[in-house]
Amino acid sequence: MSTLPPCPACNSEYTYEDGTQLVCPECAHEWSATASEAPGDDAKVIKDSVGNVLQDGDTITVIKDLKVKGSSLVVKVGTKVKGIRLVDGDHDIDCKIDGIGAMKLKSEFVRKV
Protein backbone atom coordinates (compact mmCIF):
# COMPACT_ATOMS: atom_id res chain seq x y z
CA MET A 1 0.00 0.00 0.00
CA SER A 2 1.41 3.39 -0.96
CA THR A 3 1.19 6.30 1.44
CA LEU A 4 -0.07 9.58 0.08
CA PRO A 5 1.19 12.92 1.44
CA PRO A 6 -1.07 14.84 3.83
CA CYS A 7 -3.08 17.80 2.55
CA PRO A 8 -0.88 20.94 2.34
CA ALA A 9 -3.86 23.16 3.23
CA CYS A 10 -5.22 21.44 6.35
CA ASN A 11 -2.74 18.56 7.03
CA SER A 12 -5.49 15.94 6.77
CA GLU A 13 -4.15 12.41 6.38
CA TYR A 14 -7.22 11.24 4.42
CA THR A 15 -6.07 12.33 0.95
CA TYR A 16 -6.92 10.27 -2.13
CA GLU A 17 -5.94 10.17 -5.80
CA ASP A 18 -8.30 11.31 -8.55
CA GLY A 19 -6.52 10.79 -11.86
CA THR A 20 -3.37 12.91 -11.73
CA GLN A 21 -4.65 15.04 -8.84
CA LEU A 22 -4.59 14.47 -5.10
CA VAL A 23 -7.76 15.53 -3.25
CA CYS A 24 -8.48 16.26 0.40
CA PRO A 25 -12.01 15.17 1.43
CA GLU A 26 -12.04 17.45 4.47
CA CYS A 27 -11.24 20.83 2.89
CA ALA A 28 -11.69 19.98 -0.84
CA HIS A 29 -8.16 21.18 -1.67
CA GLU A 30 -6.76 19.71 -4.91
CA TRP A 31 -3.10 19.62 -5.94
CA SER A 32 -0.91 17.88 -8.48
CA ALA A 33 0.44 14.48 -7.55
CA THR A 34 3.55 14.97 -9.73
CA ALA A 35 4.58 18.42 -8.46
CA SER A 36 7.10 18.46 -5.65
CA GLU A 37 5.52 20.18 -2.69
CA ALA A 38 8.11 21.68 -0.37
CA PRO A 39 6.90 23.84 2.52
CA GLY A 40 6.58 27.43 1.38
CA ASP A 41 6.63 26.64 -2.36
CA ASP A 42 3.12 27.95 -2.85
CA ALA A 43 3.81 31.19 -0.97
CA LYS A 44 3.35 34.23 -3.15
CA VAL A 45 6.41 36.46 -3.42
CA ILE A 46 5.47 40.13 -3.01
CA LYS A 47 7.92 42.73 -4.30
CA ASP A 48 8.01 46.50 -3.90
CA SER A 49 8.19 49.05 -6.72
CA VAL A 50 11.92 48.46 -7.37
CA GLY A 51 11.89 44.67 -7.04
CA ASN A 52 12.91 44.12 -3.40
CA VAL A 53 11.17 41.16 -1.77
CA LEU A 54 8.89 42.25 1.08
CA GLN A 55 8.35 40.27 4.29
CA ASP A 56 6.13 40.64 7.34
CA GLY A 57 7.50 43.23 9.74
CA ASP A 58 9.44 45.25 7.14
CA THR A 59 9.55 49.04 7.09
CA ILE A 60 8.44 50.70 3.85
CA THR A 61 8.20 54.19 2.39
CA VAL A 62 5.33 55.44 0.23
CA ILE A 63 6.64 56.64 -3.19
CA LYS A 64 3.51 58.44 -4.42
CA ASP A 65 0.78 60.61 -2.88
CA LEU A 66 -2.13 58.26 -2.20
CA LYS A 67 -5.68 59.52 -1.67
CA VAL A 68 -7.60 57.68 1.02
CA LYS A 69 -10.84 56.46 -0.51
CA GLY A 70 -13.94 57.92 1.17
CA SER A 71 -11.96 60.61 2.95
CA SER A 72 -10.15 63.87 2.27
CA LEU A 73 -6.93 62.47 3.77
CA VAL A 74 -3.80 61.88 1.68
CA VAL A 75 -0.84 59.62 2.45
CA LYS A 76 2.12 61.81 1.42
CA VAL A 77 5.27 60.77 -0.44
CA GLY A 78 7.98 59.66 1.99
CA THR A 79 5.62 58.46 4.69
CA LYS A 80 7.36 55.64 6.60
CA VAL A 81 5.29 52.66 7.64
CA LYS A 82 6.73 50.20 10.18
CA GLY A 83 5.70 46.61 10.81
CA ILE A 84 3.78 45.76 7.66
CA ARG A 85 1.83 42.53 7.23
CA LEU A 86 1.50 40.81 3.85
CA VAL A 87 -1.96 39.57 2.86
CA ASP A 88 -3.60 38.07 -0.21
CA GLY A 89 -5.73 40.19 -2.48
CA ASP A 90 -5.50 43.25 -4.69
CA HIS A 91 -4.04 45.40 -1.90
CA ASP A 92 -1.34 43.11 -0.57
CA ILE A 93 0.05 45.12 2.37
CA ASP A 94 -1.88 45.58 5.61
CA CYS A 95 -0.48 48.30 7.87
CA LYS A 96 -1.20 51.09 10.32
CA ILE A 97 -0.18 54.64 9.35
CA ASP A 98 0.28 57.25 12.07
CA GLY A 99 -2.40 59.94 11.87
CA ILE A 100 -4.57 57.92 9.47
CA GLY A 101 -5.04 54.46 10.96
CA ALA A 102 -5.32 50.96 9.50
CA MET A 103 -4.90 50.79 5.74
CA LYS A 104 -4.25 48.40 2.91
CA LEU A 105 -1.65 49.39 0.32
CA LYS A 106 -0.55 48.04 -3.04
CA SER A 107 3.08 46.97 -3.16
CA GLU A 108 3.64 48.89 -6.41
CA PHE A 109 3.38 52.20 -4.51
CA VAL A 110 5.94 51.45 -1.78
CA ARG A 111 9.69 50.94 -1.46
CA LYS A 112 11.48 48.90 1.20
CA VAL A 113 13.64 50.97 3.58
Side-chain angles (χ1 to χ4, degrees), residues 50-85:
V50 293
N52 296 324
V53 177
L54 295 173
Q55 296 178 346
D56 286 344
D58 281 347
T59 300
I60 58 172
T61 303
V62 178
I63 63 166
K64 177 182 176 184
D65 281 347
L66 301 172
K67 295 180 182 177
V68 178
K69 192 172 188 178
S71 173
S72 63
L73 298 173
V74 176
V75 179
K76 296 287 187 179
V77 172
T79 302
K80 277 192 177 181
V81 181
K82 297 179 183 178
I84 66 168
R85 190 171 52 131

Side-chain angles (χ1 to χ4, degrees), residues 92-112:
D92 42 15
I93 298 173
D94 198 12
C95 61
K96 185 175 181 182
I97 299 176
D98 292 337
I100 295 177
M103 287 197 64
K104 291 191 175 207
L105 300 172
K106 290 187 178 184
S107 59
E108 62 195 61
F109 298 121
V110 300
R111 182 176 45 91
K112 187 174 180 178

Side-chain angles (χ1 to χ4, degrees), residues 28-50:
H29 179 68
E30 296 181 6
W31 68 101
S32 174
T34 59
S36 63
E37 292 271 344
D41 274 355
D42 57 350
K44 183 179 174 187
V45 176
I46 298 176
K47 297 183 178 185
D48 67 0
S49 62
V50 293

